[in-house]
């Protein structure tokens, strides 16, 4: 558990850095459109003249009945992605333990499953979702461990790009309560919306149900890189502030679970 005094100073430094970046960021100036031009429409400037506007209006009215309506696009069904090793770019972006995870709208879950003596062996791989359908936590028990054997002892370790949401935390609590032979440890790169009361309640319920919760240390990132990433034998180089950000998040998690 990180020292709270040291972690508080980390939090302060992060706040100062964000403030400096905001103050130094140049502001964009918006220019009003010229009188003879109307605002950009699909990247083009159109003249606004009385005659032309009337012609466009009359043409639209005349052709309104004959115009073909576009057919709605049918999107493919949502799929959970699974695999043995992920692309190194995805890992460096999705697992980066920054405080504000702008653009990171997926969850990556790397898993290790030890099913004890008599089992087929250690299960290893990763799951990816896009927060549009079933989440990676739920998909794990549907696709990776669909057949639960009460005679086995499951030791499950997850390395996640962000901690579970409130709904997933509730489902995991139900699983842990109903399957007494399942031990789950979750190591997260970031805390998902940790300031929300329902998120905090979900994490507390997980811990109370026996789930081990901890933030990912620099050594965890290195291990995940070697085990779940197509690294081509390249060594993992921690990004700037990796250790400080770990301490920041670990302090927040400790405050939630106390």
């Amino acid at each position: 558990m990180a020292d709270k005094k040291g972690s508080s100073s980390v939090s302060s430094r992060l706040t100062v850095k964000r403030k400096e970046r905001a103050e130094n960021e140049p502001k964009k100036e918006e220019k009003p459109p010229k009188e003879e031009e109307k605002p950009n429409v699909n990247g083009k400037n159109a003249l606004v003249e009385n005659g032309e506007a009337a012609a466009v209006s009359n043409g639209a009215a005349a052709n309104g009945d004959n115009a073909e309506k576009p057919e709605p696009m049918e999107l493919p069904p949502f799929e959970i992605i699974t695999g043995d090793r992920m692309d190194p770019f995805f890992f460096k972006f999705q697992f980066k333990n920054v405080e504000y995870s702008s653009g990171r709208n997926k969850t990556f879950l790397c898993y290790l499953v030890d099913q004890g003596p008599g089992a087929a062996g250690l299960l290893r791989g990763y799951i990816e979702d896009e927060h549009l359908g079933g989440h990676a936590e739920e998909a794990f028990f549907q696709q990776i461990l669909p057949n639960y054997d009460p005679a086995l002892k499951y030791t499950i370790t997850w390395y996640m790009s962000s901690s579970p949401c409130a709904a997933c935390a509730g489902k995991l609590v139900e699983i842990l309560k109903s399957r007494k032979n399942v031990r789950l440890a979750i190591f997260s790169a970031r805390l998902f919306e940790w300031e929300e009361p329902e998120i905090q309640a979900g994490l507390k319920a997980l811990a109370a149900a026996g789930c081990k919760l901890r933030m990912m240390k620099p050594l965890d990132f290195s291990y995940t890189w070697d085990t779940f990433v197509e690294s081509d034998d390249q060594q993992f180089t921690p990004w700037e502030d990796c250790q400080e950000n770990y301490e920041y998040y670990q302090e927040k998690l400790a405050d939630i679970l106390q």
Side-chain angles (χ1 to χ4, degrees), residues 17 138 145:
K17 289 181 181 179
E138 185 177 6
L145 285 181

Side-chain angles (χ1 to χ4, degrees), residues 23-59:
E23 292 176 349
N24 295 330
E25 185 177 357
K27 297 182 178 179
K28 295 182 180 180
E29 296 183 0
E30 296 184 357
K31 296 182 179 180
K34 297 180 181 179
E35 293 181 359
E36 68 274 10
E37 294 180 350
K38 66 181 180 181
N40 289 343
V41 179
N42 297 329
K44 298 179 181 179
N45 288 330
L47 295 176
V48 182
E49 297 179 357
N50 293 335
E52 183 179 357
V56 171
S57 177
N58 293 334

Side-chain angles (χ1 to χ4, degrees), residues 7-213:
S7 301
S8 299
S9 63
V10 171
S11 178
S12 300
R13 287 198 297 271
L14 290 175
T15 304
V16 171
K17 289 181 181 179
R18 293 198 301 274
K19 184 177 180 182
E20 290 176 351
R21 286 199 297 267
E23 292 176 349
N24 295 330
E25 185 177 357
K27 297 182 178 179
K28 295 182 180 180
E29 296 183 0
E30 296 184 357
K31 296 182 179 180
K34 297 180 181 179
E35 293 181 359
E36 68 274 10
E37 294 180 350
K38 66 181 180 181
N40 289 343
V41 179
N42 297 329
K44 298 179 181 179
N45 288 330
L47 295 176
V48 182
E49 297 179 357
N50 293 335
E52 183 179 357
V56 171
S57 177
N58 293 334
N63 298 327
D65 296 336
N66 298 328
E68 295 183 359
K69 296 182 180 180
E71 296 182 359
M73 182 182 298
E74 185 174 344
L75 298 176
F78 177 83
E79 293 182 357
I80 292 286
I81 299 174
T82 62
D84 294 328
R85 292 179 179 268
M86 72 183 72
D87 185 278
F89 172 80
F90 290 155
F91 175 81
K92 291 180 179 179
F93 180 73
Q94 297 291 347
F95 274 84
K96 196 169 186 179
N97 60 349
V98 291
E99 183 178 354
Y100 295 104
S101 54
S102 177
R104 294 168 175 85
N105 58 347
K106 298 183 178 183
T107 295
F108 281 75
L109 186 159
C110 302
Y111 61 85
L112 291 170
V113 181
D114 184 354
Q115 302 177 79
L122 189 69
L123 299 179
R124 178 187 62 81
Y126 80 93
I127 302 175
E128 169 190 348
D129 72 37
E130 293 183 345
H131 285 185
L132 297 176
H135 289 190
E137 299 92 326
E138 185 177 6
F140 172 84
F141 288 99
Q142 294 174 344
Q143 299 188 24
I144 308 304
L145 285 181
N147 300 317
Y148 167 72
D149 187 348
L152 298 178
K153 293 184 178 180
Y154 297 90
T155 302
I156 304 171
T157 304
W158 288 352
Y159 297 91
M160 299 185 61
S161 57
S162 63
S163 58
C165 66
C168 287
K171 293 176 182 178
L172 292 176
V173 168
E174 293 178 2
I175 292 173
L176 292 176
K177 287 183 177 180
S178 62
R179 303 178 183 183
K180 299 299 183 180
N181 57 335
V182 173
R183 296 291 179 267
L184 177 62
I186 302 178
F187 305 140
S188 306
R190 300 183 304 276
L191 284 178
F192 176 71
E193 297 184 354
W194 58 269
E195 294 177 319
E196 298 297 328
E198 62 270 20
I199 296 294
Q200 296 182 9
L203 294 175
K204 287 182 178 180
L206 268 175
C211 179
K212 180 179 180 180
L213 297 173

